Amino acid sequence: TVALALGLAWGRMPEAVEYFARVPEAAADARVQEWRIRAALWNGNWERAREWIARLPKNLATQDRWTYWRARALDKSKATQAQAASLYQGLSLQNNIYGALAAWRLGRAHTPTPQPQVADAAAQAALQSSEGIIRARELHLVDRDAWAMAEWRKALEDATPATRVQAGILASQWGWHSQAIPTLATAAVFDDFELTYPLAYEPQVKKAQQLTGISPAWINAVMRQESLFNAEAVSSANAYGLMQLLLPTARGVAKRWKLPAPTQATLFQPVTNLQLGAAYLSELRDKFGGNLLQALGSYNAGPGAVARWLPDQPMDADIWVENIPYNETRNYIQKILWHITVFSWKETGQAQDLSAVLTPIGKASP
C-alpha cells in the first residue's frame, strides 16, 4: 500500500489520498508523512491536509515548510484564520522562501533581514599567516581548485565556528565566493547578504541582460545556485561554468541567438557562459508563457518533465511547486526564488512582492 500510495502521489493522481488513508500509522515514515500531505494539497483536500499535518512528528512539524502548510490549511477555515495569520506573521520574519511566501499570503512584500558579520583584524592576520590557507589561496589563483579546496578544508578542520566566520570573510574579500559561502554555512552564517549574495561578474551580467532581457537578479540567482560563482565549475554530467551549461545545449542556444558556437573552453569564460545561460533561461521562460517557476524547473529537470507535471486545471503556484516529484527540482526552484528575492532587494532597496511570479499554474496558464 505504501509503494502504491507514493507512486500515485508522484504521479499526482487523485487516488493517492485514498491509498494514503489506508496506510497504517505505524508504517507512515517521514516520506509517507510528507507525501500524503502533498497529495492532499494537490487534490484540494484541506481537511485531510490539516489532519496529516497535525500528525507530523516534532522534527518535521517545526520546520518552516510544514509550519507554512499548517498555516495554509488553517487559513481555509474561517474559524482558524486568525491562527493562520499568526503563523504567517511569525514565518514572514524568516530569511527563506517560506518567509517570503508567508508575506505573500498576508498580502505584503517581504524584506530580507541582513545579519552582518564583523571582520576581526587579529583573526584575519592569523589566518593569512597559516601555511594551509596560504597554499589554498595560491592553488586557487592558478586554477587548481580541487587541491585548493582540500588545503582549505584541512586548514580549517579543527577551527571553531568563530574562526570559520573569519575564514569566510577572508575568502569573500579575495573574491573566492565558491569557498566563502560554504565556509560561512558551516558556521550557520547565511544572512550576511554582502558575503553570501555577492554581486560578482557585474559587467558580464549586465551584458547578458542587455542581450536577453533577463534581469540581473534572475541571472545572479541561477548562477549562485548552479556554481556558487565558480567560473571553472564542472558537474558530474559535464555541465560547465557559471550557469552550468551542457555543451550541446549551449551550442543550440548560440545557433538560435546567432552567437559564436561555444567550445568547452569558452564556456569557462564568464561573458560567454552568462550570455548563453541567460538566453537559455529566456527561451524556457517564453516556452512556458513567461512563467518563471516553470522556466526554473525546466532549467533543472528539462522542459519535458515540467510539461508532465502541469495540472489540467490551474492551481496555486505554491501547491504546484510543493508537489514536484523530483526533490532536487522542488528545492532548486524554492532556493532560487529566495535568491531572486535577496538579489532584487539588494538591487532596488525595496521590499519584494512575489505575487507576479506566484500566479496559478496549469496546462493553459499564461
Side-chain angles (χ1 to χ4, degrees), residues 119-129 166:
D120 180 286
Q124 295 280 307
L127 284 166
Q128 292 187 68
S129 66
Q166 295 303 314

Side-chain angles (χ1 to χ4, degrees), residues 73-97:
L74 291 169
D75 205 12
K76 288 293 179 177
S77 171
K78 188 173 183 179
T80 52
Q81 284 178 344
Q83 189 178 354
S86 177
L87 289 173
Y88 285 144
Q89 178 60 34
L91 273 177
S92 70
L93 304 177
Q94 299 299 310
N95 281 326
N96 59 34
I97 187 55

Side-chain angles (χ1 to χ4, degrees), residues 54-72:
R55 294 186 192 177
L56 285 172
K58 185 176 181 180
N59 67 311
L60 292 178
T62 55
Q63 291 179 4
D64 287 346
R65 179 188 302 274
W66 299 114
T67 301
Y68 173 77
W69 287 112
R70 180 170 175 240
R72 284 280 270 124

Side-chain angles (χ1 to χ4, degrees), residues 112 197 199 215-218 220-221 337-354:
Y197 285 81
L199 298 177
S215 76
W218 288 23
N220 279 312
L337 274 182
W338 175 244
H339 299 340
I340 289 172
T341 300
V342 175
F343 280 119
S344 295
W345 166 76
K346 288 189 68 170
E347 180 181 336
T348 65
Q350 302 296 316
Q352 295 300 301
D353 181 0
L354 293 185

Side-chain angles (χ1 to χ4, degrees), residues 32 61 98 129 141 153 206 208 308 331 339 346 366:
V32 168
Y98 292 103
S129 66
L141 290 173
R153 285 195 297 267
K206 184 66 175 177
R308 292 195 304 272
N331 292 332
H339 299 340
K346 288 189 68 170

Side-chain angles (χ1 to χ4, degrees), residues 21-180:
R22 299 178 186 178
V23 175
E25 199 62 28
D29 59 11
R31 186 166 60 166
V32 168
Q33 289 164 349
E34 293 188 325
W35 274 103
R36 66 187 181 183
I37 297 169
R38 292 186 176 115
L41 296 172
W42 182 272
N43 290 284
N45 192 331
W46 291 97
E47 182 178 352
R48 278 292 192 187
R50 282 192 293 271
E51 175 189 344
W52 285 332
I53 290 169
R55 294 186 192 177
L56 285 172
K58 185 176 181 180
N59 67 311
L60 292 178
T62 55
Q63 291 179 4
D64 287 346
R65 179 188 302 274
W66 299 114
T67 301
Y68 173 77
W69 287 112
R70 180 170 175 240
R72 284 280 270 124
L74 291 169
D75 205 12
K76 288 293 179 177
S77 171
K78 188 173 183 179
T80 52
Q81 284 178 344
Q83 189 178 354
S86 177
L87 289 173
Y88 285 144
Q89 178 60 34
L91 273 177
S92 70
L93 304 177
Q94 299 299 310
N95 281 326
N96 59 34
I97 187 55
Y98 292 103
L101 287 173
W104 169 61
R105 297 305 305 179
L106 289 169
R108 303 175 188 168
H110 180 74
T111 302
T113 305
Q115 298 176 7
Q117 303 299 308
V118 178
D120 180 286
Q124 295 280 307
L127 284 166
Q128 292 187 68
S129 66
S130 161
E131 291 184 2
I133 297 295
I134 292 169
R135 285 194 298 270
R137 188 188 187 196
E138 292 302 318
L139 287 164
H140 170 64
L141 290 173
V142 295
D143 296 328
R144 294 292 186 268
D145 271 8
W147 294 353
M149 290 169 64
E151 289 284 356
W152 184 269
R153 285 195 297 267
K154 181 68 175 175
L156 294 176
E157 64 180 353
D158 297 322
T160 65
T163 298
R164 290 175 180 273
V165 170
Q166 295 303 314
I169 293 172
L170 184 62
S172 181
Q173 291 170 349
W174 290 342
W176 193 5
H177 304 299
S178 61
Q179 194 62 65

